[in-house]
Amino acid sequence: MHVRKAVLPAAGWGTRFLPATKAQPKEMLPLVDKPVIQYAVEEAVEAGIEQVIIVTSSQKRAIEDHFDISVELELLLEERGEIEKLRQIRAISDLAQVYYVRQKEQLGLGHAVLCAKELIGHEPFAVILSDDVVSGDRPCIGQLVNAYEQTHSSVVAVMEVPHDQTSRYGVIAGVPADTGDPRLYKVSGLVEKPNPADAPSNLAIIGRYVLTPKIFDKLEQTPRGAGGEIQLTDAIEALMQEQDVYGYAFEGVRYDAGTTMGWLEASVELALKRPDIGTEFRKYLQTLDLS
């Protein structure tokens, strides 16, 4: 079955970016001139996903407004003859079929995914964490969809990290799959934030998943862990007792836009790649005294 739907959890408080996130969602912070969450929706659409389900909370109305039609703004731009800006604004509301579901309590990533159960139904689906911005020639989630179509199993995105940084990630244990794709691994275990000495590999999970609907059964059975949260990795571990799970070492560059430093890195590097402003921005950076 083709992967048609994607879940984008977006209900967190964004406390790392206070005070900027006191009155606006962290997902609406701009990278260059687009909010972080728009990059995730565009990635999903480029991968052929038709429906996007955004899991929000009571403080996230700006996300809904962003992907909605803005009649007044469109009329203003049309009257001013700013046709290119009008085209850009209309393209946002036409990106995909976007649905919203509320996560009424902050009970972790696993719980956020579980909130989308009724809208997903009995079909495989993608999960995209918009904090992880991936730049590349092919959409990251599209690479996972292709891996799912090969294996008909759940797939998590992984990347190599320095061994001394494994304590910041979930890390997989696994072996190369027998599909002929050198980027595909069959997962035999998951370890959440292991000490470097205990890490089973240096392949860390980042915020892209393609999951079978069986994950919902496992999420409903997963006990709350630290902080009273339901962890998605715990449910994936339970899923592995019944179904194969694979890791895919995706092509592309990942930025952790959920941290201030990662957001700054993404802002600079994405700006440099822009054909309209990249050259001018590069010249500006070269004038800075960084000594």
Side-chain angles (χ1 to χ4, degrees):
M1 183 179 290
H2 180 63
V3 178
R4 302 185 307 118
K5 301 177 182 180
V7 177
L8 276 62
W13 285 102
T15 53
R16 288 178 176 176
F17 283 97
L18 286 170
T21 50
K22 179 176 181 289
Q24 71 169 327
K26 67 173 182 175
E27 294 83 8
M28 291 301 296
L29 293 175
L31 285 176
V32 192
D33 54 6
K34 289 192 298 190
V36 171
I37 196 168
Q38 186 174 330
Y39 288 87
V41 174
E42 289 175 346
E43 179 185 326
V45 171
E46 190 178 351
I49 287 169
E50 302 164 9
Q51 298 179 17
V52 173
I53 300 159
I54 302 178
V55 182
T56 66
S57 62
S58 60
Q59 308 301 316
K60 303 299 180 101
R61 181 61 186 270
I63 296 175
E64 299 180 28
D65 290 343
H66 181 71
F67 292 105
D68 200 357
I69 295 171
S70 178
V71 176
E72 296 86 353
L73 178 57
E74 290 184 14
L75 285 173
L76 176 65
L77 293 174
E78 190 169 7
E79 288 171 1
R80 290 180 174 178
E82 298 188 60
I83 303 305
E84 177 58 24
K85 289 183 179 178
L86 177 61
R87 183 195 64 77
Q88 292 175 356
I89 292 302
R90 285 179 172 168
I92 294 170
S93 57
D94 291 338
L95 270 173
Q97 301 174 36
V98 182
Y99 302 88
Y100 300 91
V101 61
R102 286 285 179 92
Q103 185 182 17
K104 296 178 181 178
E105 296 181 85
Q106 303 300 304
L107 297 178
L109 175 58
H111 181 260
V113 172
L114 185 56
C115 288
K117 177 183 177 180
E118 298 306 317
L119 290 175
I120 294 296
H122 300 285
E123 58 184 286
F125 65 100
V127 177
I128 302 176
L129 307 188
S130 58
D131 281 354
D132 282 328
V133 177
V134 182
S135 175
D137 294 332
R138 296 191 296 152
C140 181
I141 199 64
Q143 296 174 51
L144 267 65
V145 169
N146 289 340
Y148 167 81
E149 290 172 349
Q150 290 181 54
T151 63
H152 301 289
S153 301
S154 296
V155 187
V156 301
V158 297
M159 68 176 191
E160 292 187 359
V161 299
H163 272 288
D164 60 1
Q165 294 182 18
T166 54
S167 59
R168 295 167 47 188
Y169 301 92
V171 177
I172 69 164
V175 296
D178 57 4
T179 62
D181 188 338
R183 293 181 173 273
L184 191 64
Y185 296 82
K186 187 173 182 181
V187 179
S188 57
L190 302 173
V191 183
E192 188 65 30
K193 298 181 178 179
N195 290 324
D198 301 324
S201 74
N202 68 334
L203 291 172
I205 301 171
I206 68 117
R208 300 290 187 278
Y209 311 78
V210 171
L211 301 169
T212 64
K214 187 69 175 177
I215 194 68
F216 292 121
D217 294 340
K218 301 307 176 185
L219 285 167
E220 289 174 335
Q221 298 163 10
T222 299
R224 297 185 185 186
E229 295 187 343
I230 298 172
Q231 300 297 336
L232 182 58
T233 50
D234 290 345
I236 293 173
E237 274 199 288
L239 181 67
M240 288 169 53
Q241 306 306 311
E242 298 181 28
Q243 298 180 351
D244 290 338
V245 173
Y246 290 84
Y248 193 80
F250 62 93
E251 297 177 40
V253 179
R254 174 255 189 180
Y255 304 98
D256 183 1
T259 66
T260 303
M261 190 63 203
W263 178 81
L264 288 169
E265 291 172 354
S267 298
V268 171
E269 296 191 26
L270 291 175
L272 288 171
K273 293 176 182 178
R274 284 272 294 265
D276 54 341
I277 61 173
T279 300
E280 184 179 356
F281 186 47
R282 186 180 303 275
K283 289 179 179 177
Y284 164 71
L285 292 177
Q286 290 170 342
T287 68
L288 299 179
D289 181 3
L290 302 178
S291 59

